[in-house]
Amino acid sequence: METHKQTYRLKIPGETENLELIRSFVSHIAQMGGFDEDDIYKIELAVDEACANVIKHAYKGRKKENIDLVIEIDFNKLTIIITDQGVGFDVDKILNRDMKEYLAQMKVGGLGIHLIKSLMDDVEFKSQPGEKTEVRMTKYFVKDGKIEGKQSNE
């Protein structure tokens, strides 16, 4: 099966003021790819949350650091890869957190990763503390309840 993949890149300073530009960039590509309004909103929100986490937690407000976004789009999915060179984090600790216990503590924040996972179809985190963190999130095209172009054995 022929796969025609398009790749788009954006390298931008990790500043809160740039979140709107990032959302517009991602939203425009998702729209060009044929996603419906609901999925575009979910993609935009997931990317906004991931980039806001980079600014707040990875860079801790240091404005000179860049956020790298790569968007790959093909016949059945859109994949967004967000990379930063911030402090990193323990991925397993966050992903394996007891959410019932965490929510019972009434803490403010800390749910961004879970939000991203609920909005996208696949999400992977790779973090090398002190070097870089990569978040890879994918949204599949769905038509009539089926993923477009996805083989039945996938």
Side-chain angles (χ1 to χ4, degrees):
M1 179 177 289
E2 182 181 328
T3 59
H4 182 70
K5 183 168 65 174
Q6 294 278 326
T7 301
Y8 302 88
R9 296 177 192 277
L10 177 66
K11 187 172 191 169
I12 191 164
E15 301 175 12
T16 305
E17 297 80 15
N18 290 331
L19 289 174
E20 185 176 343
L21 180 61
I22 293 168
R23 288 191 305 270
S24 294
F25 174 71
V26 171
S27 171
H28 186 71
I29 293 169
Q31 187 177 27
M32 285 185 346
F35 281 95
D36 65 25
E37 239 177 81
D38 186 50
D39 279 340
I40 292 170
Y41 177 74
K42 289 176 181 175
I43 293 166
E44 198 177 314
L45 186 57
V47 169
D48 186 78
E49 182 62 31
C51 291
N53 281 345
V54 170
I55 294 165
K56 183 176 181 181
H57 301 294
Y59 293 154
K60 300 184 186 294
R62 295 187 314 264
K63 292 185 173 186
K64 293 183 179 175
E65 307 284 345
N66 287 319
I67 297 174
D68 296 315
L69 276 95
V70 175
I71 301 177
E72 299 170 344
I73 190 165
D74 63 27
F75 71 100
N76 74 340
K77 67 184 180 298
L78 177 136
T79 300
I80 302 160
I81 304 156
I82 300 170
T83 307
D84 69 70
Q85 281 73 45
V87 297
F89 63 97
D90 184 342
V91 174
D92 291 334
K93 184 177 178 184
I94 301 286
L95 294 178
N96 295 322
R97 182 185 313 176
D98 182 342
M99 289 307 297
K100 222 174 189 178
E101 182 180 317
Y102 184 79
L103 292 171
Q105 295 172 358
M106 306 284 285
K107 290 183 177 177
V108 175
L111 299 174
I113 289 175
H114 297 283
L115 174 65
I116 292 167
K117 289 184 74 154
S118 72
L119 295 167
M120 301 298 285
D121 296 322
D122 289 324
V123 182
E124 296 175 40
F125 299 91
K126 294 180 184 170
S127 186
Q128 298 170 324
E131 293 183 34
K132 73 175 190 175
T133 297
E134 178 184 290
V135 180
R136 177 181 292 262
M137 51 181 97
T138 301
K139 188 64 133 177
Y140 292 95
F141 291 103
V142 176
K143 186 174 181 181
D144 300 326
K146 295 181 179 176
I147 295 174
E148 288 282 298
K150 191 170 185 174
Q151 304 297 313
S152 59
N153 60 352
E154 288 185 276

